[in-house]
Amino acid sequence: MSAGARRHLGVSWVLAAALGAPLAALLVCLALPAVIPASSDVRYLVACIVVIPLMAAAPCAALLARSAARAWTGVGVTSAAALLVLWRALT
Amino acid sequence: MRLKSGTYRVLWEAHAWAGATSSVLLVGMFLLGVVSLFRHELMPWQEPRLRAPAVADEAQALATLQQWLDARVGKDLPPQLDVDLPAPHSPWIRLEWKGGGGAQTAVWVDPRSGEQAPERSDLSYFLFLAHFLYPLPGGMLIAGLVAIVLLLVVGTGLVIQVGRFRKELVRFRPREALRTTWGDLHKVLGSVGLPYQAVIAWTAAIICLNAAVLQPVMVRTAFDGNLDAGLASIGYPRGPKSSGQVSEAPRVATVLAQARAALPDARHYRFSMRNLGDASGYVDVRGHARQGLHEFTTVRVSRTGELLHVRQAGGPGATARLLEAAYVLHSGLYAGMGLRLAYALLGIFSALCVVTGNLVWLERRARGMRRVDILLARFTAGGCGGAAFALAAAFLANQLLPDTLPRRPHWEHVIFFGSWCACVLGALAYPRARAWAQQLLAVSGGILLLLPWLDAWRNARRVFDPTGSPYMFYADVGLALLGAMFLVSAWAIGRIAPRDPRSAQAPLSIPAHEGS
């Protein structure tokens, strides 16, 4: 990688891709069954099916964002929405 | 199709960093997975008393088990007991229960005489659990995340190679520059093993994440807190609670007959007895019934012999079928020994693919190693070599630890994890990462190569004897082959090794495209 490209991918961006994005994807998968209008078994099935591609694709999406700030914004908004759904389901 | 240069660079970085940082666990899990494929066949090797062929028939074995149970009713009968029935690879009955203080106890019982002996070793089962990092706190979650990383590595590797896949499948240029040689080998191994690695990564992720995270949360979100409904959806409903009334043990012959009547095509191999000695006691009879990607059956029979529940292979719902198919695909249970041998070969290729990927990564940075790069180089050298060494050390411990040692299986576990950690710490202290990895591989190979002779000498048998027990013969061959492979790897690292990172000046750039 060139020095210029290396400078763009700072620690914050790498952290967003390596930690923030997979965590946000996992939270989405956990929250998803609470909002799907289907039977319990189907809701569980959907979570099992989407968890892996989402967690694998999320770091790529964070790396392909235009900036680290945008990557963190995406992580934050997604996680907040998922946590809100989970909070409503678990309380 | 060509990627934009910026996209290519980002995906290359993601591929390289993800692979490098998770390489230690990936190599360890692939090696442990190879051994786990043959965990049943290794039992006579780890437990010499199982080497004599079976001399008792099923009726005799069930009568012996019944005597064992009846003699303990009202005294020291454990409330939960798992019984593995005699099988070709283990002709004794294996009993396991939790004793006072929650400590696990396992014994072998001779089905003919009733003689009871403590379990000497659980090595192959422990290595199977270690493959999923299960013995470590939070290990299943870490294993699931590592599997996701592998899927990411496989996916990004596929995308950055798109358009050149057919060429990379066969191109190997051992006389070119070192970076090219390692790169070619990495791409050949990656291209050959890509479908296998994708399947293994996806199934491992679903198995581990489901057990560690999804199941506990799904009970609340998908099943509205109804644990019974959640368990029933995968075909394992909760049994009745203990009534507190002392009662006799179940009739095991009746229980097995009921299971056979319910599922005549299944091979019933285990009794999971619950509420034993209580009026509400019951037995879950576990079985195998090969039906494509669905395998596991359960028949629940009450203490008095009534049929309570039948779980067909695959379970009752779509989720159960998906989860079971993932496990069966991951373990290669859907076909015979030939498939498991292919899985083993592909597992070794995959471990090599990870190691060669690391070497490419180091070679790219060889002219400008920062402190973090040097630390990562040492960590991966110690961790990857340490995985091989820990495996060899555990097998050697199985031979050399005294049979009378209290909690002997536990010491094998300690030696496995202790030697792996020691190898990583040693690499951080040792000045040359490459030499450390090379020495670890050479010592591991030497140990594994010598193990068949050591076992033959200790147990007064002929080594590599095709006329003796087939389990021993194939264990000898397998250990010797694995040892030879480690020795060849050590030799190859010595012959085609990357430059010493400390003498480097500036990093090599990543081309916008591999061909440019």
Side-chain angles (χ1 to χ4, degrees), chain B residues 327-353:
Chain B
Y327 184 81
V328 170
L329 261 176
H330 189 86
S331 315
L333 291 173
Y334 55 94
M337 180 56 80
L339 180 86
R340 279 194 281 160
L341 288 171
Y343 262 46
L345 195 63
L346 287 165
I348 290 169
F349 278 3
S350 302
L352 284 174
C353 184

Side-chain angles (χ1 to χ4, degrees), chain B residues 388-463:
Chain B
F389 183 78
L391 197 61
F395 274 94
L396 187 64
N398 175 271
Q399 289 289 317
L400 299 185
L401 287 176
D403 284 1
T404 51
L405 183 71
R407 301 179 69 211
R408 192 181 183 283
H410 172 73
W411 283 106
E412 289 180 357
H413 310 170
V414 170
I415 286 171
F416 174 81
F417 283 121
S419 51
W420 200 350
C421 290
C423 291
V424 174
L425 293 175
L428 296 177
Y430 198 78
R432 284 167 296 144
R434 172 176 69 86
W436 184 252
Q438 198 180 356
Q439 287 160 16
L440 286 176
L441 277 173
V443 172
S444 316
I447 291 172
L448 289 171
L449 203 56
L450 288 176
L451 273 176
W453 279 274
L454 179 61
D455 181 75
W457 173 68
R458 289 187 65 254
N459 293 287
R461 68 174 178 92
R462 287 172 60 194
V463 71

Side-chain angles (χ1 to χ4, degrees), chain A residues 1-2 5-6 26 29-30 33-34 40-41 43-45 47-49 51-52 55-56 59-60 63-64 86 89-90, chain B residues 10 13-14 145 148 151-152 202 205-206 209-210 214-215 217-218 220-224 317-319 322-323 370 509-510:
Chain A
M1 173 172 254
S2 69
R6 187 185 287 267
L26 183 61
C29 298
L30 295 177
S40 295
D41 192 44
R43 287 193 275 170
Y44 187 9
L45 182 68
C48 287
I49 288 173
V51 66
I52 293 151
M55 284 186 75
C60 292
L63 286 172
L64 292 171
L86 275 174
L90 299 179
Chain B
V10 166
E13 281 287 306
L145 295 177
I148 295 279
L151 201 63
L152 175 73
W202 182 80
I206 205 163
L209 287 179
N210 178 62
L214 286 182
Q215 261 184 2
V217 180
M218 285 307 115
R220 305 293 295 274
T221 54
F223 295 94
D224 304 320
T319 314
L322 175 81
L323 294 173
R370 296 167 297 173
S509 64
I510 299 167

Side-chain angles (χ1 to χ4, degrees), chain A residues 17-40:
Chain A
L19 295 177
L23 185 65
L26 183 61
L27 287 172
V28 167
C29 298
L30 295 177
L32 208 55
V35 293
I36 296 174
S39 68
S40 295

Side-chain angles (χ1 to χ4, degrees), chain B residues 265-323:
Chain B
D265 295 329
R267 185 176 68 78
H268 304 282
Y269 67 95
R270 177 179 293 163
F271 293 144
S272 292
M273 300 182 173
R274 300 294 177 262
N275 302 339
L276 204 50
D278 187 275
S280 66
Y282 63 93
V283 183
D284 281 338
V285 186
R286 312 283 183 198
H288 290 292
R290 188 174 290 171
Q291 292 171 8
L293 292 179
H294 302 130
E295 173 89 11
F296 303 111
T297 63
T298 300
V299 179
R300 180 168 291 173
V301 182
S302 75
R303 182 188 60 81
T304 52
E306 294 154 14
L307 187 67
L308 299 177
H309 171 73
V310 178
R311 182 193 195 273
Q312 302 277 354
T319 314
R321 289 175 186 275
L322 175 81
L323 294 173

Side-chain angles (χ1 to χ4, degrees), chain B residues 38 41-46 51 395 448-449 451-453 455 461 463-464 469-483:
Chain B
F38 309 102
E41 287 77 9
L42 277 169
M43 286 177 81
W45 191 90
Q46 72 192 31
R51 294 179 188 181
F395 274 94
L448 289 171
L449 203 56
L451 273 176
W453 279 274
D455 181 75
R461 68 174 178 92
V463 71
F464 297 109
S469 161
Y471 297 107
M472 298 312 298
F473 173 70
Y474 289 115
D476 284 351
V477 171
L479 289 170
L481 280 177
L482 197 59

